[in-house]
Amino acid sequence: DQQVKQNSPSLSVQEGRISILNCDYTNSMFDYFLWYKKYPAEGPTFLISISSIKDKNEDGRFTVFLNKSAKHLSLHIVPSQPGDSAVYFCAASVSTGGFKTIFGAGTRLFVKA
Amino acid sequence: EAQVTQNPRYLITVTGKKLTVTCSQNMNHEYMSWYRQDPGLGLRQIYYSMNVEVTDKGDVPEGYKVSRKEKRNFPLILESPSPNQTSLYFCASSFRAPTPYSPLHFGNGTRLTVT
């Protein structure tokens, strides 16, 4: 049973438009969430994170929104650029006990020029 | 340059032949972890280590062993590989247990094929 779900395997967006990547989770104990970005033949790299005490975190073109009641988070990329084309993993963890990070299956983003 | 180094990048082996995938980090990180990536399943944690001589199982530990005798190294050992362990493996580290302020740093992966 996947505790972190990314239901869209892929997403295609035009350059300059907004990309919205979604993530749902089932474990209400998760108290922080991260997004990682992965290019082919490379390991994932950290992109942005959010703690459960916040509902929004912004870093340049990237914003993550957290809706705890819906157990849903989303990553917004505005404006999207061709270099953003990659696989994006949503991850969640519990800060007390376990120290495990649970990843979603990933969403492949294509940004068309 | 701060990095996590995995070797080898590619490995093809046969069922039952013991193998080791090495992982080393030069950031003095306490926490290290191994993941496998499979289509549709994302990254699943195999084992993790909070510090030297402290290791624990992740979600899919069966068929794997690890050791943490030095802070910088965290090898993944497959004593008797089987075809269902064919996967893309990632080693990762972080300063302490992963938090928003101490995210994971990943190696570039090892693609393992077991025939």
Side-chain angles (χ1 to χ4, degrees), chain A residues 32 36 41 43-44 49 98-100, chain B residues 9 31 45 48 97-98 100 104 106-107:
Chain A
Y32 63 90
Y36 287 83
S49 64
F99 304 107
K100 296 180 183 180
Chain B
R9 289 295 305 273
Y31 183 95
Q45 190 172 44
Y48 65 95
L104 290 166
F106 284 85

Side-chain angles (χ1 to χ4, degrees), chain A residues 16-35:
Chain A
R17 306 294 289 269
I18 184 171
S19 296
I20 300 176
L21 293 88
N22 294 304
C23 179
D24 297 294
Y25 62 95
T26 57
N27 189 342
S28 57
M29 296 296 292
F30 289 141
D31 57 0
Y32 63 90
F33 306 88
L34 307 96
W35 285 93

Side-chain angles (χ1 to χ4, degrees), chain A residues 60-92:
Chain A
R61 297 186 296 114
F62 302 92
T63 303
V64 57
F65 295 93
L66 175 63
N67 182 334
K68 288 189 291 292
S69 61
K71 295 191 178 67
H72 176 84
L73 63 154
S74 60
L75 174 68
H76 293 212
I77 307 173
V78 183
S80 301
Q81 299 174 354
D84 296 328
S85 297
V87 176
Y88 290 79
F89 291 101
C90 171

